[in-house]
Amino acid sequence: MKHPTHGRAARLRLALTALSIVALHAPALAYADLYGQLLQEVDYPNGTLFGYGLSKRRPVEIWQAAPPQPTTSLGAQDMGRDHSRTIERLISATATVPDTVIKALKNNPTDAKPEGPSAWRIYWVSERVTPAADVPQARMFSSAQRRFVQCETGRVVDAGTLHFASLDNQGEPYASDINYERPRVWNTKLRVLPTPLMTEFRAVCGPVFTAALGELAGRERLAQVLAPPPPLPPGGNGLVSAALMKRLLDLQAAAAAQAAASQATASQAAASSVPVASPDMTALLETTETTEASAPMPSGATGATGSTFEPGIARKKARIRLHQFNGLSGGLTKAAACVAPESRKAGGAGSIFKAIGSMGRRPASTSIGMPTSSRTEEMRGFNGYHVEREIDADMPVAVDYGYGGPSGDGGSCPQIGVSFVPEAGVDYEAWLDVNRSLKMCFVRVARILPGGALLPEPINGAPECPPTPR
């Protein structure tokens, strides 16, 4: 039988199809920022293949072609409240980005050079994970991060992450992630680097500055680059952090006063008697960036800065409320920093039919007695429901959300996973924020403060869990 693509009309259709393929792949190049262009030029020096495009498999191929050899241990990572494992981080030797790559960029605003402190350098950070004695290893994994760093400007670029089922980066990665359009960038002129990145920057750039300037001047230049940036002007995020801290201290003082008045019902009194945050403060707490603008927790504020529930009965437990509505599919993976295949069932989303069913009616919510929050009150009247679950404290917990709206309702969001480490006796809330104007989706996690206000919780990305051995 002849294929229905013969004839002049068929050739025209094929030509239009070819043009559509170009259009689909063009945005990856046309809309990439400077750092996306840098990644593309390094990983695809001869350009991408027609009809192939950029691939998340590329970092895997680079790793397998020349596995980086760790040369320096960065020591054990500070895991904070996470008692599930310890992670030793190792950093590889660096390689400079070739001058041909720099010349191929459309512009060079960072004034990159092929050598010295202004050169872009590439390195890998690998992991050795040791689970705690009483924690199952089934959902444990190790990761390797590739970074690009320019010492002189204090910039670090996320250049891809690989995930391994082994605990020491051995074997083939089972998952990889990279953004070839707008990779995440840290800039020391704008904010202080997170502690792990600060350690990496010192290990890589310390010797670079010393070689270029001498030992004393090199140390001074490193300190200058890593110095905290000046405070933001009025109206910037600095005021948000200050307001958050003031609010937390006020809540702590109020909770302490309530506890002194009635020890028998201290936690309940704190949750019910602390004045509700004003609308302005509630909005401020809810819209603050989760990992960058939230204020540090005051010392000794455990239990006073989040709603609590019978801390004497469940000292190693926390609780979480997951909002589900309008075609959402939210999942929960307990005691893991990855998303398990059964997460949606554990999170109460059940099948996709239940999530879609909420678009025409309101399924029954599942409550275990958590206090309401400002967002819970806002959701009253919507065809949504929520699910409350008890979770282990001091262990990572993963939350994932996806969104599949009907045609014409703003498209859909792929399943997004994040992880955080809950604190004992604290209530949390999670939801998916669909921003149609930006055409982006965000998973939000926040602790519920006394009075119902929400404080964004620091989160990390969560990959899929390692495949189960057959």
Side-chain angles (χ1 to χ4, degrees), residues 83-86 130-137 140:
H83 297 165
S84 67
R85 59 200 161 148
T86 59
T130 304
D134 57 343
V135 176
Q137 298 185 24
M140 290 284 181

Side-chain angles (χ1 to χ4, degrees), residues 13 104 113-114 135 138 150 162 203 219 223 237 271 296 317 329 358 384 397 403 421 439 441 453 455 463 469:
R13 285 196 297 271
K113 302 290 193 302
V135 176
Q150 189 181 39
L162 306 180
R219 286 202 305 265
N237 287 338
K317 296 292 182 179
S329 53
S358 69
V397 172
Y403 172 70
V421 182
K439 296 183 179 180
C441 302
L455 177 67

Side-chain angles (χ1 to χ4, degrees), residues 74-110:
L74 299 176
Q77 180 176 332
D78 182 3
M79 302 298 291
R81 290 193 300 267
D82 187 353
H83 297 165
S84 67
R85 59 200 161 148
T86 59
I87 299 178
E88 181 188 8
R89 302 170 67 246
L90 301 102
I91 190 168
S92 72
T94 64
T96 56
V97 171
D99 189 40
T100 54
V101 169
I102 303 302
K103 291 179 179 179
L105 297 177
K106 295 179 181 178
N107 52 62
N108 185 14
T110 61

Side-chain angles (χ1 to χ4, degrees), residues 46-206:
N46 298 319
T48 58
L49 297 177
F50 175 79
Y52 176 71
L54 306 171
S55 172
K56 290 187 177 182
R57 285 288 304 175
R58 186 59 180 149
V60 177
E61 296 169 355
I62 293 172
W63 173 276
Q64 292 176 333
Q69 299 299 318
T71 58
T72 305
S73 174
L74 299 176
Q77 180 176 332
D78 182 3
M79 302 298 291
R81 290 193 300 267
D82 187 353
H83 297 165
S84 67
R85 59 200 161 148
T86 59
I87 299 178
E88 181 188 8
R89 302 170 67 246
L90 301 102
I91 190 168
S92 72
T94 64
T96 56
V97 171
D99 189 40
T100 54
V101 169
I102 303 302
K103 291 179 179 179
L105 297 177
K106 295 179 181 178
N107 52 62
N108 185 14
T110 61
D111 194 26
K113 302 290 193 302
E115 297 292 340
S118 293
W120 280 101
R121 287 174 164 77
I122 308 171
Y123 66 91
W124 288 84
V125 175
S126 56
E127 294 179 348
R128 293 175 183 168
V129 179
T130 304
D134 57 343
V135 176
Q137 298 185 24
R139 291 175 177 168
M140 290 284 181
F141 61 94
S142 62
S143 301
Q145 294 88 28
R146 185 176 60 154
R147 318 269 199 214
F148 288 10
V149 61
Q150 189 181 39
C151 299
E152 184 62 33
T153 61
R155 288 180 170 89
V156 183
V157 180
D158 182 353
T161 301
L162 306 180
H163 302 288
F164 300 79
S166 65
L167 301 184
D168 56 359
N169 293 168
Q170 298 300 308
E172 182 175 356
Y174 73 87
S176 65
D177 185 52
I178 188 170
N179 187 337
Y180 276 115
E181 293 183 0
R182 292 177 177 84
R184 185 171 184 181
V185 179
W186 292 269
N187 187 341
T188 59
K189 294 181 179 179
L190 300 179
R191 65 198 64 193
V192 176
L193 293 178
T195 301
L197 278 178
M198 180 83 74
T199 304
E200 297 171 23
F201 194 93
R202 290 183 181 278
V204 172
C205 295

Side-chain angles (χ1 to χ4, degrees), residues 289-363:
E289 286 293 332
T290 55
T291 57
E292 297 174 351
S294 56
M297 301 301 298
S299 177
T302 302
T305 55
S307 65
T308 60
F309 62 98
E310 302 294 340
I313 296 176
R315 294 183 183 275
K316 294 298 181 181
K317 296 292 182 179
R319 299 185 295 191
I320 188 169
R321 175 187 296 123
L322 290 88
H323 286 283
Q324 316 269 15
F325 67 95
N326 288 346
L328 295 182
S329 53
L332 177 68
T333 306
K334 298 181 179 181
C338 56
V339 176
E342 66 275 13
S343 67
R344 296 182 189 182
K345 182 177 180 180
S351 67
I352 189 65
F353 301 105
K354 182 176 181 181
I356 295 177
S358 69
M359 299 169 67
R361 58 182 175 82
R362 177 186 294 178

